Every structure is written in C-alpha cells, then in structure tokens.
Amino acid sequence: MSDHLIAPHGGTLVNLVGDADRAAELKAAAADWPSWDLTPRQICDIELLMNGAFSPLQTFLGQADYENVCAQMRLADGTIWPMPVCLDLPEELANSVNGQSLALRDLEGVILAVLHVDDVYTPDREAEAQQVFGTTNPEHPGVAHLLQRTNPCYVSGRLEGMALPHHYDFRTLRQTPAEVRDQFQKMGWTKIVAFQTRNPMHRAHQEITLRAAKDVGANLLIHPVVGLTKPGDVDHYTRTRAYQSLLPTYPHNTAALSLLNLAMRMGGPREAVWHAIIRKNHGCTHFIVGRDHAGPADRSGKAFYGPYDAQELLAKYQDEIGVSMVPFQMMVYVEEQAAYVPQDQVPEGARVLNISGTELRKRLNEGRDLPEWFTFPDIVKELRKSYPPRHKQGFTVFFTGLSGSGKSTIANVLLVKLLEMGGRPVSILDGDVVRKHLSSELGFSKEHRDINIRRIGYVASEVTKNGGIAICAPIAPYDQTRKDVRAMIEEGGGFILVHVATSLEECEARDRKGFYAKARAGIIKEFTGISDPYEEPHDAEMVIQTEDLTAEEAAQEIILHLEREGYIGPESDI
Ligand code: PPS
C-alpha cells in the first residue's frame, strides 16, 4: 500500500480473510458448529467488514461499542463511527451460541466466516432508531428495517473470514479497498474525490463531479452503492451500465469507477459521515456531499432531514476524520446560459429547468423524450432498455369476484382478443385450472386461499417482469392478499384489478355449476358468499357489472382501459 495515499480510518486497513489453510481448518470444524444463514443486509455488512471498507471495525459491534456509537457516534475507544453495524439473531439462537463458534453462511449455504461469540445483548431498537435516524417513524426505510425486519438480539466476538461473498456481475468493477488503493497507486493518484450515488447519473451529476475534481485539483472516483439501496431505486445492473457509458465523458485518465456493496441505511447526516469514512478507507481524500444526502422522505414527500443537514454534520467531523468534504448545492439548468448552475447562484428571473425522479419515470413510462440538456443519449438508451414505455412492459389483468360471477368467461374473451392482436405472450391463470395444476393439494380455508393467490401472484409477477401479459381469474376474496400480489407485480410492470361485481343473488340464481345449492345445503363448506367471506375491493381499476354487459362487451371495456393507460396502443407491438 502506498505511503502517499491517505491512511485508513484507525490507521490500518483491516483484512479479516484468513489464508486457505485456516479456511479449510475452519470449514472442517464448522461441520459441528451451529450456523446462521446471513440475510442480504448482513451479507453486505460482512463483506465490508472482511475487506476493510469498515476499518477500523474488526467485527460486528459489541455492546460497549454499540452503545457509544448510538449515543455519541464514537466507538468505545473514542474513534468516530456513526452507524451501528450489528449481527442480529433470533433470541433463542443468540443465547444458545454465547461462548461458542457460529458459522455464518451465505444464501447458498457457503460458510463465509466464523464468529467466536462472546457478547450477546438485547438492544433497545426504538432508542437506536431515535439516536441514529432521529425518528421512530417506520416510513423511514432505515427505521422500518430496524423495527420490523431486525432480529431482537445482537451478537459479537472475534470474526474470522473465510471467503468474501462471490459476485458474478461486473467482476472487474468489484474491488476491495486494497485493490482500489492499488489502482490509485499505479495511476499515481494521491488526491482523489469520491462521489457516492444510488441513482443513475445525469448531466447535473456529471457537472458536480467535474467541478468538484477541478476545484480541489483531484482525480475522481465514481463509487456507486450496489448493495442494498432504497426500495424502488433503479436496479444496479442498469445503473452500472449507465455509469460505464458516462465514464468516457470525463477527461482521459482522471476518473475511475468502482462498485461498493454497501447496504445503505438512508440515515442522512450520520450516513454521510459513514460514507466519508468508507471512502477514506478506499484511499479517497475528498468526498462530495450534495443536497439531501442519503435522506429519505415520508409518504407525503416530506424529507426526514433538512436538505443540508448532512453537510453540516460532516463539516463538524471532517478535520478529525481527515477527509475533506466538497459540498454542493443542488445544480439546476439555466436555459439562457445553457449551463448547470448551483441553485443559490441562479440569476434573478432566470428560467430554470429540472426533471425530478418522478417526472423521469413518467416520461420513460410514456416513451416520451428526455432532453439533451438533462442527460446523455447513452444513458437514455440504458434506461429505456430496462424501463421500456408501457406499451412494451408486461402487465397483469387480475379479475376478482364471486364464484360464477363471470370472471373466467370474460378472462377467456380477453385472452382471445389479446392473442388476436399478437405481440406479447399471454398466459391465463384461471381459478379452476390453477387449482387443478398449481394448487391441487389446497382447500378453501383462509390460509389455503391465501397460499393459492400468492402462488398465482408469483407466477403472474414472473410473466409480467419478463414482458408478458398474465390474466388471472381466481375469486381472491381477501383484500390484503390482493394488495400484496399487486405490490409484488407492480415491481416489474402493470397491475390492473378488475372487480367482476355480479351480485350474490345473480350468481346464485345462475348457479352454473350447482355449487350454490350444495353450499346452501351445507354439502360444500366454506363457500364464498354463503359460508365464507368476500371482501369487496376498493382499489379496483375497473368494476364490471355483468348484469348490463355481455362478456365480449366487458372484455372490450378492458381493452379500452388498457389503451387509455398506454399498455396497448398504435405504436405498440400488440
Ligand atoms: S380462491 O378463494 O381465490 O382461492 O378460490 P379459487 O381458486 O378461485 O377457486 C374457486 C373455484 O373453486 C370452486 N369451489 C369453491 N369456490 C369457493 N368456495 C368454495 N368453498 C369452493 N369449493 C369449490 C368454484 O368452482 C370456484 O370456481 P369459479 O370459477 O370461481 O366458480
């Protein structure tokens, strides 16, 4: 490691991965030890502990360090450390492994490390949320994770690494801090400004990074987080391809790109201090902090932190940490000057252009133009590949309604009409048919109905994610289950809930399968509408009254709705 590079936090770059002999020894011994399958968050944390990105941490925080970090942003020895990095376990396991060695496995069961546990404690997670995030509001993603998805006990002890988690994507960009430092040394870089991001970069970001590097006379490390970010963020594959396409827009040999497998906490000011320390460990001397750094907002759009809180906090600690902050105002495009300008330097009355993240998504969805002043053509190309306009996205039409309401008939007409149009593949998941194949062992209890609907939702979400059309037609009597399925499918495309609102009287009068008579007679138990509940949806995109419409007319109404919403249209393949 070069003497010319900034020293890591705490003075030494930690490396917890032992040699091959020790790893083999541990692997053999671990066969008899208790083991824990690490969560995705814990896998990110353990990678950064093992490779030294979290130097000087040598393991997950023990109780004394944890309490000090929460209360004072310092480890027990006084070193600045703003974010708890803890191994959370269920109570029973945590208590049973005290004084023992615990094998820590990845999602496939490979042992990554061994923790020799000698510290088990039960944190006050509400207090942690308040101290670290300044709130206990579960709309804050860091708080939600802490209060809803974190196990109740934390454990610590000596951590022995065996292997870093394996990544198969963008392998040349996945460097350890030691490898990043090596690269800087080879290139003769000593002054390096780091840029942290969890979003695609557009012209405003390029302008900020260029200016920052120029202002402090440094080289640039674009250091995006590809571990865990905020739900709803653009996936890291798309972002990384976009960063790669941006790199040639910087002066030759002045900018580098490397990926950081960090699990963000979205902790605003404390997170900014943490980010700066992590970059110091990668050999960076400067760190860019813009507006709203790692700061989330609540459901109403209100930010949890002030726009420049992160800058204020890091300003207080930067000298002690030894990394200089490069603060930036939000950059906006001033039309008359045809240039990006910090928001506080916009001339009076000048016309300012900006495209928000929401507006960007909307334009991508509608296949509308993204102007040259906003971003680069290659980045638009990458975003369009992953976020095609609606008429090229997959979607699910999810029918719900009583038995005999006409769901299957309308679904089958819709299927034929969509097939006639051609283009995207269409799959139908009809209630009766699914129960023959996918759910043949299930009955009609609430538990079984929920499993059935979640299976249908899962298959539909796969079809949708891959650009196809899924038509589902189960009864789906429970509101929460329908909502869960909607959330799952909307991650990868469109979801249109169609309530076939034929009344119980009408369904019973038709009684096409003779089931209602049997249900009344008590021969069929738990029959929806008779002896089992049906929760009417209040969030349906369409309500179909079959008393007034033929199945063909109903299907046509749905086609028109899909057209209005942009899922099918003149330029669409379908
Ligand atoms: S659910 O609640 O969504 O899981 O139901 P679903 O998979 O759509 O299955 C409904 C079909 O099963 C037949 N059937 C019953 N329906 C409701 N309650 C009870 N107890 C019951 N027993 C059998 C019925 O034919 C349903 O088909 P459709 O096409 O809806 O009439």
Side-chain angles (χ1 to χ4, degrees):
M1 196 190 308
S2 164
D3 293 339
H4 304 298
L5 289 176
I6 185 173
H9 200 47
T12 317
L13 193 65
V14 169
N15 172 23
L16 299 176
V17 186
D19 62 27
D21 289 348
R22 179 64 183 151
E25 204 180 304
L26 284 171
K27 194 174 159 199
D32 300 326
W33 294 344
S35 84
W36 170 249
D37 296 341
L38 295 159
T39 64
R41 154 83 74 99
Q42 294 168 345
I43 291 177
C44 289
D45 285 354
I46 208 166
E47 174 172 343
L48 271 54
L49 278 172
M50 288 201 277
N51 73 16
F54 286 163
S55 299
L57 301 195
Q58 306 254 7
T59 181
F60 294 99
L61 295 187
Q63 187 165 11
D65 280 329
Y66 166 76
E67 282 169 4
N68 244 47
V69 165
C70 288
Q72 305 179 35
M73 275 185 44
R74 288 180 189 277
L75 300 171
D77 70 2
T79 311
I80 296 175
W81 190 267
M83 198 55 74
V85 175
C86 302
L87 182 64
D88 57 299
L89 294 183
E91 201 174 341
E92 205 178 319
L93 178 66
N95 289 324
S96 72
V97 294
N98 204 355
Q100 291 193 48
S101 298
L102 177 69
L104 301 175
R105 295 174 190 273
D106 71 8
L107 298 170
E108 286 161 19
V110 176
I111 306 179
L112 300 178
V114 163
L115 185 72
H116 305 286
V117 182
D118 61 9
D119 194 352
V120 176
Y121 57 104
T122 306
D124 179 343
R125 284 178 286 144
E126 290 258 339
E128 179 184 333
Q130 192 60 48
Q131 287 173 311
V132 174
F133 298 118
T135 174
T136 53
N137 183 344
E139 287 176 29
H140 184 299
V143 174
H145 189 278
L146 182 59
L147 300 184
Q148 295 161 6
R149 294 189 295 281
T150 301
N151 292 298
C153 289
Y154 291 169
V155 298
S156 182
R158 190 163 61 84
L159 183 64
E160 278 195 88
M162 289 158 64
L164 288 170
H166 206 85
H167 299 286
Y168 297 99
D169 56 345
F170 305 112
R171 300 215 21 192
T172 54
L173 298 176
R174 299 222 180 227
Q175 296 149 302
T176 63
E179 288 166 345
V180 172
R181 284 169 167 268
D182 254 13
Q183 189 184 337
F184 290 162
Q185 198 189 359
K186 278 188 197 137
M187 306 198 347
W189 295 7
T190 49
K191 223 174 169 191
I192 301 118
V193 58
F195 182 66
Q196 135 86 34
T197 183
R198 44 169 260 272
N199 287 311
M201 290 172 72
H202 303 294
R203 282 191 194 273
H205 309 98
Q206 192 234 21
E207 189 67 29
I208 287 177
T209 47
L210 270 174
R211 276 188 191 217
K214 216 165 96 197
D215 288 355
V216 298
N219 292 288
L220 173 71
L221 175 67
I222 300 173
H223 208 198
V225 169
V226 296
L228 297 172
T229 61
K230 209 169 69 121
D233 280 348
V234 173
D235 68 89
H236 80 270
Y237 300 104
T238 309
R239 284 192 287 122
T240 304
R241 290 195 301 269
Y243 304 134
Q244 283 175 313
S245 77
L246 186 72
L247 213 50
T249 69
Y250 292 90
H252 193 58
N253 269 342
T254 64
L257 170 66
S258 186
L259 306 180
L260 179 68
N261 201 40
L262 175 72
M264 287 180 71
R265 275 53 165 174
M266 298 304 293
R270 277 198 186 221
E271 181 108 9
V273 176
W274 195 36
H275 288 173
I277 292 172
I278 294 167
R279 273 46 186 232
K280 176 185 172 189
N281 287 332
H282 284 80
C284 301
T285 48
H286 292 73
F287 184 60
I288 298 172
V289 180
R291 192 192 143 104
D292 290 322
H293 189 99
D298 67 16
R299 224 177 287 142
S300 71
K302 191 170 164 292
F304 281 98
Y305 309 106
Y308 299 106
D309 284 4
Q311 292 182 359
E312 270 173 38
L313 192 72
L314 185 54
K316 270 197 222 156
Y317 291 97
Q318 60 175 342
D319 289 345
E320 195 181 334
I321 296 171
V323 168
S324 308
M325 174 172 64
V326 186
F328 265 94
Q329 287 266 329
M330 187 160 119
M331 299 288 270
V332 289
Y333 187 76
V334 178
E335 207 177 18
E336 291 97 285
Q337 299 180 4
Y340 277 89
V341 171
Q343 203 169 28
D344 62 345
Q345 290 170 28
V346 175
E348 275 255 350
R351 201 168 110 88
V352 156
L353 303 178
N354 195 17
I355 292 181
S356 67
T358 320
E359 171 68 16
L360 173 64
R361 275 294 171 95
K362 196 162 166 258
R363 286 186 187 220
L364 286 170
N365 260 340
E366 293 168 3
R368 277 165 54 208
D369 180 41
L370 285 168
E372 273 275 339
W373 62 262
F374 174 70
T375 193
F376 299 88
D378 284 347
I379 292 188
V380 177
K381 215 165 75 196
E382 288 304 336
L383 289 174
R384 285 213 193 286
K385 266 199 258 167
S386 305
Y387 300 91
R390 269 198 174 161
H391 65 263
K392 290 202 171 123
Q393 283 174 24
F395 62 87
T396 292
V397 179
F398 195 101
F399 291 93
T400 173
L402 295 171
S403 170
S405 57
K407 303 180 299 287
S408 308
T409 319
I410 303 170
N412 278 302
V413 179
L414 181 66
L415 169 77
V416 170
K417 282 186 181 287
L418 291 172
L419 288 174
E420 185 190 332
M421 288 178 184
R424 283 171 284 200
V426 194
S427 300
I428 188 153
L429 295 154
D430 188 26
D432 268 342
V433 181
V434 167
R435 277 185 176 273
K436 254 189 219 120
H437 300 288
L438 204 58
S439 293
S440 54
E441 84 287 19
L442 298 180
F444 288 89
S445 64
K446 163 140 196 348
E447 192 196 350
H448 278 195
R449 288 181 196 262
D450 280 353
I451 296 174
N452 181 40
I453 298 307
R454 283 181 213 283
R455 282 182 190 166
I456 294 174
Y458 174 73
V459 175
S461 75
E462 286 295 308
V463 170
T464 301
K465 189 172 79 185
N466 291 311
I469 300 173
I471 303 174
C472 311
I475 297 177
Y478 295 108
D479 187 54
Q480 189 54 51
T481 324
R482 290 190 301 252
K483 287 201 163 81
D484 292 349
V485 165
R486 173 192 287 276
M488 186 155 69
I489 292 172
E490 279 182 343
E491 268 178 35
F495 181 85
I496 300 100
L497 184 66
V498 180
H499 180 201
V500 183
T502 316
S503 66
L504 178 64
E505 295 70 41
E506 179 68 21
C507 293
E508 195 167 358
R510 292 181 197 163
D511 204 6
R512 283 179 45 204
K513 298 179 184 166
F515 284 175
Y516 281 93
K518 283 190 180 156
R520 287 283 180 207
I523 301 165
I524 302 181
K525 306 268 184 288
E526 297 178 309
F527 197 84
T528 307
I530 305 294
S531 42
D532 222 50
Y534 179 80
E535 297 172 4
E536 302 242 334
H538 298 292
D539 57 348
E541 274 71 13
M542 297 188 73
V543 180
I544 305 264
Q545 306 290 353
T546 54
E547 284 93 338
D548 312 329
L549 291 177
T550 65
E552 186 151 17
E553 286 165 344
Q556 192 54 34
E557 294 242 318
I558 297 167
I559 296 275
L560 290 176
H561 175 89
L562 293 171
E563 233 172 70
R564 263 197 313 275
E565 291 297 312
Y567 289 110
I568 51 182
E571 338 88 286
S572 115
D573 285 341
I574 205 159

